[in-house]
Amino acid sequence: MDKTASSGMITFLVTIVILASLANTTPQTVMSVLLPLSVCLIVGTIGVVITSFFTAKLFNVSREMAVALGMTCTFGFPTTMILSQEIAASTGQTETEQAALENYFLPKMITAGLVTVTLVSVFFAGFAINYL
């Protein structure tokens, strides 16, 4: 995406979609979902960390990388790309280091996020369809 200079455009378009859906949201709606959302976030984070500790050895990655890959399911696409780029920019001391870090993190993070969201969505949709 950097070669075609399209990463900024994609981020912009996804942000517009999010903001457009927030236009009809009232403060009461936000307050009504705050507690359930917080509980889901806490329970989900604990579940991801516990699962990541067990799967780190299975996939031969560090525990920290396993947790980072597991947490991509909470971020979604543009955020995983932005986080990978920001981590590379803030920790790499030279442009070569930054490029190497981004090339290491970006494919893993985007793939993990897509696979997690796709597989979990299909699993839960298949499970929930029986109760509709």
Side-chain angles (χ1 to χ4, degrees):
M1 284 195 259
D2 288 332
K3 290 181 183 179
T4 61
S6 62
S7 64
M9 179 63 116
I10 290 173
T11 304
F12 173 72
L13 292 173
V14 170
T15 305
I16 285 177
V17 170
I18 293 169
L19 292 176
S21 66
L22 291 176
N24 298 326
T25 304
T26 64
Q28 292 81 12
T29 306
V30 173
M31 294 306 289
S32 69
V33 298
L34 197 57
L35 180 63
L37 185 62
S38 298
V39 170
C40 287
L41 183 63
I42 291 168
V43 171
T45 301
I46 292 169
V48 166
V49 169
I50 291 170
T51 304
S52 297
F53 284 166
F54 291 115
T55 59
K57 286 190 177 190
L58 179 68
F59 293 111
N60 199 24
V61 295
S62 68
R63 287 182 174 179
E64 293 81 6
M65 183 57 134
V67 170
L69 294 173
M71 291 304 293
T72 59
C73 65
T74 61
F75 298 137
F77 165 66
T79 310
T80 55
M81 182 180 70
I82 293 168
L83 283 174
S84 298
Q85 292 170 341
E86 290 299 319
I87 290 168
S90 65
T91 56
Q93 296 181 0
T94 65
E95 292 213 10
T96 306
E97 266 185 18
Q98 291 175 0
L101 286 169
E102 188 174 328
N103 289 337
Y104 179 75
F105 286 121
L106 192 60
K108 288 178 174 38
M109 297 289 276
I110 289 177
T111 303
L114 289 173
V115 167
T116 303
V117 171
T118 303
L119 288 178
V120 172
S121 297
V122 170
F123 174 75
F124 281 123
F127 180 75
I129 196 73
N130 295 326
Y131 295 101
L132 294 177

